[in-house]
Amino acid sequence: MEKLVIKGPTPLKGEVVINGAKNAAVAILPATLLIDGICTIDNLPNISDVNICCQILEALGAKITRNGKHSITVDSRNITTTKAPLDLTSKFRASYYVIGAMLSRMGEIEVGMPGGCKLGARPIDQHIKGFEALGAVVDTGKGVISAKADELVGNTIYMDVVSVGATINVMLSAVLAKGTTVIDNAAKEPHIVDVANFLNTMGADIRGAGTDMIKINGVEKLSGGATYSVVPDQIEAGTFMLAAVATKGDLLIKNCITKHLESITAKIIEVGGQVEDFGDSIRVYCDQRPKKASIKTLPYPGFPTDLQPQMGVVLSLADGTSTINESIWESRFQYTDELNKMGAKITAQGKSAFFEGVEKLYGAPVYSTDLRAGAALIIAGTAAEGITEVYNLEHIDRGYEDIEERFRSIGADIKRISE
Ligand code: EPZ
């Protein structure tokens, strides 16, 4: 078993370069299954979710060539099976994108029930509603999802909830469908725009990504032949921004799109942090105890649920009582029990949590309950006095590349130990 051992408190200072977005990468890789050709993806984060994604593509017959740490070439000309390995697909959430892509390209697919972070119920009814509207027959019995279509024909789909996954998945299934598909009440996250840009670069005809209505004119074939670079990770950038505030540090965060960070910037300013926006980099610093704030997580462009635990660390140290309302996931406050072990005073009730700010956190052994909870605990350990041990690192490694090296490079006293 591995753990991270962090000795704090340390104000994080220096520069950090943001990697490509995990949640774009894990959609763009399955999207390569739509291409009857070869393409190269650059700026891929080197994380375990991306590695599993590549293994799934290979199991389906795609050939993958690694061009270094952050670039791969995918040759999807020969898809050899429509049964994706159940053990791999049930390991992570984004395996559901294989359904949309393979339905469109091959007319059938079988995958395991998608796994991923345990954040409460994670239904996929909107994905299925979209596939069925295009003419697919979907079965979800016995932990396996199988979908089949003799022909996919464009349709208009109104999403009952704003869903990142369903928006991307229906977009994938519509790319090679006959006619026009309209996704209404679509999600608008930067990674949705990125997936659409990738597909358009490869020959698709998708318009309106980034708005709540996306129109996909089906094309006969995607031929590839191009190179695409994944968008910088909004959530990774936000994680370091909030780390600067929680540790009273000063970070220049490079290779980000600051437009994607506006909801985070606004809250950082509200709690007393300073922000300098340079367009493709952002400086965040804070030399005072954070002030209290109220946060409600919302789909983009609202405050992202994937930064809620990291913001929770800031608010647990704030002067006064703060509240967070989580409107996306049922169960994203599990990290508050861990922060309370470090001296925080947080009461979580259902989808709300109340943070009675404390002056200091103290090191303790803590368990990462999901990916972003893990990031929050690293920030907390860096801000806290004494030694923090963070366990369950497999969650963190799913989504943050070289996390301890990058925290070390900005001053954290952090090491990974195998027991
Ligand atoms: C994506 O999950 C991200 N994962 C999550 O990031 C992120 O928290 C989430 O979007 C919200 O931004 C990936 O991109 C791989 P949703 P996804 O469909 O697509 C409900 C992280 O830490 N819903 O937008 O699974 C659902 O229950 C991870 O990087 C339905 O009711 O989320 C939730 O309440 C964790 N029916 C809401 O919609 C559906 O068919 C939003 O979920 C689909 C979703």
Side-chain angles (χ1 to χ4, degrees):
M1 190 173 42
E2 288 187 323
K3 65 179 177 184
L4 289 174
V5 179
I6 308 164
K7 189 168 170 225
T10 312
L12 295 174
K13 288 190 176 166
E15 292 182 6
V16 63
V17 180
I18 298 306
N19 288 316
K22 169 187 92 94
N23 288 342
V26 297
I28 287 174
L29 286 169
T32 62
L33 291 166
L34 286 162
I35 301 170
D36 189 8
I38 301 173
C39 66
T40 296
I41 323 276
D42 288 345
N43 203 32
L44 276 173
N46 188 20
I47 52 177
S48 65
D49 267 8
V50 162
N51 292 334
I52 296 173
C53 222
C54 289
Q55 288 172 44
I56 295 173
L57 296 188
E58 282 176 321
L60 292 168
K63 289 199 172 52
I64 291 193
T65 313
R66 293 203 170 266
N67 314 312
K69 207 173 170 187
H70 296 125
S71 171
I72 64 167
T73 297
V74 187
D75 176 353
S76 304
R77 283 175 297 180
N78 276 317
I79 301 300
T80 51
T81 174
T82 56
K83 285 189 186 350
L86 302 188
D87 56 331
L88 288 177
T89 45
S90 53
K91 259 189 193 161
F92 84 132
R93 195 76 201 153
S95 57
Y96 50 40
Y97 293 136
V98 170
I99 308 173
M102 286 288 281
L103 251 185
S104 205
R105 172 86 188 274
M106 305 296 288
E108 68 177 319
I109 180 64
E110 195 177 293
V111 302
M113 260 311 167
C117 288
K118 303 221 171 346
L119 309 170
R122 298 188 75 174
I124 56 162
D125 56 300
Q126 298 303 303
H127 303 235
I128 295 171
K129 171 176 154 170
F131 301 147
E132 288 178 344
L134 298 191
V137 175
V138 184
D139 184 68
T140 56
K142 298 182 186 151
V144 174
I145 307 173
S146 53
K148 216 170 173 168
D150 292 335
E151 183 182 52
L152 291 171
V153 181
N155 203 342
T156 295
I157 298 127
Y158 183 88
M159 294 286 172
D160 301 329
V161 291
V162 178
S163 160
V164 171
T167 301
I168 293 178
N169 225 347
V170 177
M171 194 160 84
L172 296 178
S173 67
V175 164
L176 302 177
K178 217 176 191 174
T180 298
T181 300
V182 176
I183 306 175
D184 203 351
N185 199 25
K188 297 181 275 200
E189 269 67 5
H191 34 291
I192 289 171
V193 180
D194 207 40
V195 177
N197 286 344
F198 165 73
L199 290 166
N200 284 343
T201 305
M202 301 299 154
D205 183 356
I206 303 172
R207 297 156 195 222
T211 75
D212 59 10
M213 189 179 284
I214 302 178
K215 194 169 164 188
I216 304 124
N217 295 313
V219 295
E220 289 216 341
K221 189 172 157 159
L222 300 189
S223 311
T227 296
Y228 189 80
S229 185
V230 176
V231 70
D233 197 319
Q234 172 211 16
I235 302 302
E236 191 180 84
T239 299
F240 283 104
M241 289 168 78
L242 294 166
V245 179
T247 63
K248 296 200 190 118
D250 185 347
L251 290 179
L252 180 64
I253 296 151
K254 291 177 145 178
N255 186 38
C256 55
I257 298 174
T258 58
K259 173 80 188 148
H260 295 165
L261 302 169
E262 283 173 345
S263 63
I264 304 128
T265 301
K267 281 295 163 189
I268 287 177
I269 292 169
E270 196 178 315
V271 300
Q274 310 280 323
V275 178
E276 288 173 25
D277 182 339
F278 306 108
D280 59 1
S281 64
I282 195 160
R283 180 181 170 208
V284 178
Y285 55 105
C286 186
D287 53 12
Q288 56 173 295
R289 186 174 176 196
K291 296 179 206 152
K292 65 181 179 176
S294 296
I295 307 281
K296 181 169 184 178
T297 63
L298 287 169
Y300 187 82
F303 192 91
T305 175
D306 293 347
L307 288 171
Q308 188 261 96
Q310 301 88 318
M311 188 73 203
V313 179
V314 172
L315 298 184
S316 69
L317 287 162
D319 188 5
T321 299
S322 303
T323 54
I324 297 185
N325 287 304
E326 168 61 52
S327 76
I328 312 289
W329 299 118
E330 271 170 12
S331 155
R332 205 164 205 177
F333 284 123
Q334 297 165 70
Y335 73 92
T336 59
D337 287 339
E338 305 305 304
L339 287 187
N340 284 345
K341 290 180 192 165
M342 301 177 72
K345 288 191 182 158
I346 310 166
T347 313
Q349 287 168 356
K351 284 177 139 188
S352 301
F354 305 91
F355 295 71
E356 194 187 319
V358 295
E359 282 200 34
K360 270 187 187 175
L361 294 174
Y362 297 92
V366 285
Y367 293 82
S368 162
T369 47
D370 64 70
L371 168 61
R372 308 303 172 186
L377 294 175
I378 294 175
I379 298 173
T382 310
E385 200 167 290
I387 308 276
T388 297
E389 292 173 334
V390 183
Y391 292 88
N392 292 354
L393 303 189
E394 64 281 4
H395 291 301
I396 303 171
D397 295 336
R398 281 189 33 227
Y400 290 94
E401 178 179 329
D402 294 338
I403 189 79
E404 69 270 23
E405 277 161 41
R406 292 164 79 210
F407 265 77
R408 211 162 27 236
S409 76
I410 47 178
D413 183 343
I414 177 169
K415 54 186 180 235
R416 187 180 289 244
I417 292 180
S418 293
E419 288 186 326

